[in-house]
Amino acid sequence: MAGRILIVEGTASHRILLRARLTSAFYEVLVAETGGEALAMIDESRPDLVLAATELPDMCGSGFCTRLRALPDQADTPLVLLTEDDLVDERLALLAVGADDVIARAVEDILLLARLRSLLRRARAQDQMELRTDAKRALGLSEAPRSFQRPARVALVSLDPALGLDTIAARLRVGIGAQVELSAAGTLLQSQAISAEAVVLIDTGGEPGAGLALLSQLRTARAQHHAVLVYVTDKGRDEMAARALDLGADEVLHNGPEALELALRLPRLIGRSRRAKRHRAALRNGLRAAMVDPLTGLYNRRYALPEVARMAQQAARCGQPLALLVADLDHFKKVNDRWGHAVGDQVLVATAQRLTAGRRAQDLVARLGGEEFLIALPGADIDSAAAAARLLCEEVAQLSLPMPRLRAGRPSLFSPTISIGIALMDAGGEAVETALLRADGALYAAKHAGRNRTHVAPPAAFPHAFGALRGA
């Protein structure tokens, strides 16, 4: 089924007609005769959308909307109210109390069904954004109410050169405190254009089809990709309005440009857009936190191992080598024991910065854990990898880090050193873990040889060469 819709209608003939229209569009249809019956069944039936008449046997449309919005978890359930006549004042009043749309009962099926599809898409997108409360806290989405909201940026675009927008712009500036600009269509499509939070496209007198074509381009334009798109057309152009909704318009006004209606709809749309933007940012930050070591800013082991596996596959396809360097700080335990873990953290951060300095974009630097680091060098043969490793040793050894005073006198300076094991991944499909074991063995050999130096692992066919050193 396309979705579950609750029809609330007191007149039997209207219920039957609406049910037939929606069932033929493959919706699951529930029916209630009164507002009270509908409110009682909503918690159990959980409709995806409510379609209600404004004149019910036990209450008016405004009262039904207010009581629906007061129910738990029903603040965002899409609600469409059907009126007998298309009266501007009635529509504005019902939008003001929380209806998502107000449509005349005589509207064409093509527009009614397109409106329902649009609202259901929006509701499902919002459901996907909504996380459980504990997950929100974990990702930092639970935030204190904001005492200041910046003014919304709204762009007005008209395809009718004879239509003046100054009055509408002035009313929006006063009514919702928005920063409203009159924009040309081409300006908004430029890659360097300033992103608007909402674009109101008024298609009431331009070339036929031009408005829908512009709408499609705005939806995919880089600068306006996340903007709220409101399409405005004249009464009687139901097919155009329906096509606009299916092309991605977030809202359609099909009775011409009405400043008061825009002032009612835009704040809700922009509010949803801002919440979605915060969700996306929090999810990106959560993903980053799962991949990045918080102390050094390097990728962590969880990210590095699958990434090296991907790099190895690409190297094998291209017939290119891939070198793995495992670096470890020498005598790091002594640093922690002498100066404390806070100083040890500073040494780790400084070392990480030296390891990443000058690296190519395709190289990977990660912290495997503790004082151990991984550097993956795609395209590097054993000679260039060994040269890069020696240079890293020299650069780290050049650090001169001030240490806290342990007794009276001048603070001491500390120069850390690292040892590095090098392994060239076998082109025959060697597992990442196996290559890391070889590099780790070479690291032990470098430590055993005196530290602050590098060692190259033997080829994959001879991994037993480090057995004695590991047992030492």
Side-chain angles (χ1 to χ4, degrees), residues 146-217:
R146 300 191 172 200
S147 57
F148 172 77
Q149 289 281 0
R150 69 180 186 277
R153 298 186 304 275
V154 178
L156 295 183
V157 183
S158 175
L159 298 183
D160 182 0
L163 179 65
L165 298 179
D166 291 336
T167 301
I168 296 175
R171 289 183 178 179
L172 289 179
R173 292 187 186 107
V174 174
I176 63 175
Q179 296 176 350
V180 183
E181 295 183 2
L182 308 184
S183 303
T187 302
L188 292 174
L189 295 175
Q190 294 175 1
S191 58
Q192 302 301 320
I194 297 176
S195 299
E197 289 187 89
V199 177
V200 180
L201 172 57
I202 302 175
D203 183 18
T204 56
E207 182 180 344
L212 295 179
L214 176 58
L215 177 68
S216 298
Q217 293 186 58

Side-chain angles (χ1 to χ4, degrees), residues 55-129:
E55 296 297 330
L56 297 171
D58 56 344
M59 64 184 72
C60 65
S62 176
F64 177 76
C65 179
T66 301
R67 293 177 63 179
L68 172 67
R69 294 303 184 216
L71 292 176
D73 300 324
Q74 297 302 317
D76 294 316
T77 299
L79 171 62
V80 177
L81 294 176
L82 294 175
T83 61
E84 296 301 324
D85 300 300
D86 189 9
L87 302 176
V88 174
D89 290 344
E90 182 182 20
R91 182 170 70 253
L92 296 179
L94 292 172
L95 289 172
V97 295
D100 289 281
D101 207 356
V102 182
I103 300 178
R105 190 182 296 280
V107 70
E108 295 289 338
D109 277 4
I110 187 172
L111 179 55
L112 174 63
L113 295 177
R115 194 69 184 102
L116 299 183
R117 287 194 298 271
S118 174
L119 288 170
L120 288 170
R121 282 196 303 271
R122 179 196 298 171
R124 285 165 184 162
Q126 184 165 321
D127 287 343
Q128 292 173 1
M129 284 287 184

Side-chain angles (χ1 to χ4, degrees), residues 447-459:
K447 296 274 192 183
H448 187 75
R451 295 181 171 83
N452 191 23
R453 64 194 64 219
T454 68
H455 195 95
V456 177

Side-chain angles (χ1 to χ4, degrees), residues 216-428:
S216 298
Q217 293 186 58
L218 285 170
R219 179 48 72 206
T220 57
R222 181 184 297 274
Q224 316 304 335
H225 181 62
H226 292 299
V228 169
L229 298 183
V230 179
Y231 180 81
V232 181
T233 190
D234 287 324
K235 183 180 294 188
R237 303 175 75 184
D238 290 357
E239 184 177 352
M240 299 281 285
R243 288 180 60 193
L245 288 167
D246 286 337
L247 285 171
D250 297 284
E251 195 66 83
V252 163
L253 275 64
H254 52 95
N255 292 285
E258 170 55 57
L260 289 178
E261 185 167 353
L262 284 170
L264 285 171
R265 293 185 185 267
L266 282 174
R268 297 181 196 172
L269 293 167
I270 293 170
R272 289 191 189 103
S273 176
R274 288 180 173 181
R275 288 196 298 272
K277 183 178 180 179
R278 291 197 295 271
H279 275 279
R280 289 192 298 270
L283 289 172
R284 283 195 301 270
N285 292 337
L287 289 173
R288 177 176 172 80
M291 299 186 299
V292 174
D293 172 52
L295 175 64
T296 62
L298 301 179
Y299 288 115
N300 59 20
R301 187 184 191 95
R302 178 186 298 173
Y303 174 85
L305 296 187
E307 178 63 10
V308 171
R310 185 198 64 79
M311 295 168 74
Q313 292 176 353
Q314 183 175 358
R317 285 196 302 268
C318 300
Q320 296 291 320
L322 174 63
L324 301 184
L325 282 57
V326 175
D328 188 272
L329 277 162
D330 297 327
H331 300 299
F332 184 68
K333 184 177 183 302
K334 293 181 180 179
V335 175
N336 284 332
D337 291 344
R338 184 178 183 186
W339 288 294
H341 288 279
V343 173
D345 287 348
Q346 295 175 17
V347 173
L348 287 169
V349 171
T351 303
Q353 291 172 348
R354 282 298 171 97
L355 294 177
T356 55
R359 296 267 62 81
R360 303 170 301 172
Q362 63 266 37
D363 295 341
L364 170 70
V365 183
R367 184 184 178 194
L368 293 179
E371 64 270 28
E372 194 170 62
F373 300 89
L374 168 67
I375 304 98
L377 305 175
D381 58 21
I382 201 64
D383 292 332
S384 58
R390 288 192 296 270
L391 181 59
L392 288 174
C393 285
E394 293 172 3
E395 291 176 343
V396 171
Q398 290 171 5
L399 286 169
S400 185
L401 307 175
M403 295 292 107
R405 295 181 183 182
L406 297 179
R407 58 183 62 86
R410 297 171 60 186
S412 59
L413 299 176
F414 174 71
S415 295
T417 63
I418 57 172
S419 300
I420 300 179
I422 308 159
L424 197 66
M425 287 201 68
D426 182 65

